[in-house]
Amino acid sequence: MKHLISSQDMAQFTASGYLKYEDMVPKDLCKACLKEMENNKGYLAVGMPFEETWPKDTALGEAFRLPKVKGLIQSLVGPDPLYDHHAAHLVKAHTTRGPDMHQDSVIDFRQNYFDIQLSFFPVDTTDEMGGTFLVPGSHFRNVRTGEIRGYQHITGKVWATCPAGTIYVWNTRVWHGARSNYTDQDRYMYKLRLNPTKPQIRNFDTSDIDNPEIGRILSTHHGWEGHEHRYELMKRIELWRYVSDQPDYDVGERFLRRREYQPQRIMA
Amino acid sequence: MPKVQDILVLFQTSPALDVVPSAWARYEASKGTGIKDLIEERNPPYKNAMAAMRDGWQVIQMSEYHQRSEADGYELGPFPYQTVLSRFREMQTEEEDS
Ligand SMILES: [Fe+2]
């Protein structure tokens, strides 16, 4: 498959829980998609194969089947994903939003597993238009949906500002929310959630898997980790070991050894 | 107008009063009953709780340490500690919902 993401990008997805790709959907197709979004209806068949479920003769059908988008999807959830749900999120012109931090759906403890959400922005989205905010790296912190609304502000929060045709792809456990739209223009974001059907191992381009930069990417400080950074790092390393199929991978002081190195348990 | 209580919560990764907060929230009853438009803030309002205390905020709760076990000592969830600060301010008329 073409257009698979690099190992470095996969490491960044592991550490930060999201990736941003501009120029994914051409402008004309963006316009056609926007028209369809205005008439969005409810969910399709939840939990059914994406390829069978997703409409074929529509602009949105085409957008999520572009080779670049397919490569991105395959890199993260592998071949033959399932359609989970979709939605056209609208923040109307001149609509303000209060605190909205949440984790989607319900609490999700599945190990060595993640769903992805593709957030497609069909129009140029400026700072003032209130693009979705994300808390990079928060995807290892399980919470019950909207209970984190009380975290009004977090150091390191980012929000979508991008040209039309951009796709943000994120681990569905990333903390996020909507923002105020101060402009005269309605703000649309189209989201699609997908589930893997097979173990999410080495689905991305592994030609740069030994790049030493990967260790640095996995160690990223996003701003809010404080004294818990090394506990975050342990979670990231565990996920990286799994997706890269390197069960002994570790970095720096190798914190996972504090659990794993137990010679007293080895029987003669 | 009477003075009413404002609350500032600093969410932290240690219960100490001199650590940099990871997240923060304001409940300013002097201004109204909730935030209708959350203005983004990149940095915490104070570098730590002690800086807030020097600005007139009173600590009304600081966190206790947690006992850790092998089962949950590596687990992550909400921020583990918080400092709650209070200050009294003159009440303003709340803006009507439009
Ligand atoms: Fe959400």
Side-chain angles (χ1 to χ4, degrees), chain A residues 13-231:
Chain A
F13 186 85
T14 303
S16 303
Y18 82 101
L19 294 165
K20 174 188 182 183
Y21 295 101
E22 294 184 4
D23 301 318
M24 292 295 270
V25 183
K27 304 285 182 225
D28 287 350
L29 190 54
C30 282
K31 278 190 191 136
C33 286
L34 186 62
K35 279 227 162 61
E36 291 179 10
M37 286 181 201
E38 287 162 5
N39 305 306
N40 181 60
K41 302 212 171 61
Y43 296 170
L44 306 174
V46 173
M48 296 305 286
F50 174 68
E51 188 49 42
E52 287 168 30
T53 310
W54 201 243
K56 288 202 172 68
D57 47 1
T58 65
L60 284 160
E62 190 185 336
F64 287 95
R65 285 193 183 85
L66 290 167
K68 275 201 243 179
V69 180
K70 273 191 163 171
L72 177 59
I73 291 171
Q74 163 123 5
S75 301
L76 294 163
V77 287
D80 312 318
L82 303 181
Y83 165 87
D84 186 286
H85 73 279
H86 79 281
H89 281 241
L90 166 67
V91 180
K92 282 190 174 293
H94 302 289
T95 309
T96 64
R97 290 292 185 96
D100 186 42
M101 185 94 68
H102 63 279
Q103 207 172 35
D104 269 350
S105 196
V106 293
I107 196 162
D108 185 350
F109 292 104
R110 285 171 286 186
Q111 289 274 313
N112 296 329
Y113 175 99
F114 56 87
D115 286 342
I116 56 166
Q117 217 135 241
L118 297 151
S119 290
F120 162 41
F121 290 85
V123 294
D124 291 344
T125 304
T126 61
D127 210 357
E128 298 72 33
M129 281 172 75
T132 314
F133 75 80
L134 303 170
V135 181
S138 55
H139 50 300
F140 296 109
R141 295 189 166 260
N142 285 313
V143 292
R144 280 191 171 176
T145 319
E147 68 181 355
I148 49 172
R149 186 174 181 272
Y151 298 146
Q152 295 167 2
H153 304 280
I154 292 193
T155 308
K157 183 175 174 181
V158 299
W159 48 87
T161 55
C162 54
T166 299
I167 290 180
Y168 282 75
V169 61
W170 43 290
N171 182 318
T172 51
R173 295 184 211 175
V174 170
W175 297 3
H176 67 279
R179 297 169 59 246
S180 298
N181 181 356
Y182 301 115
T183 68
D184 299 329
Q185 220 189 334
D186 293 346
R187 194 278 284 174
Y188 271 99
M189 185 276 281
Y190 195 83
K191 82 164 188 185
L192 170 67
R193 179 167 176 159
L194 298 170
N195 316 138
T197 53
K198 298 180 176 67
Q200 287 153 288
I201 299 169
R202 287 190 173 238
N203 290 321
F204 48 94
D205 177 358
T206 54
S207 59
D208 60 334
I209 197 110
D210 295 322
N211 189 326
E213 194 58 34
I214 286 171
R216 281 189 282 279
I217 293 168
L218 291 171
S219 307
T220 302
H221 285 260
H222 298 101
W224 53 265
E225 293 96 334
H227 292 282
E228 303 210 326
H229 182 263
R230 45 188 66 180
Y231 298 89

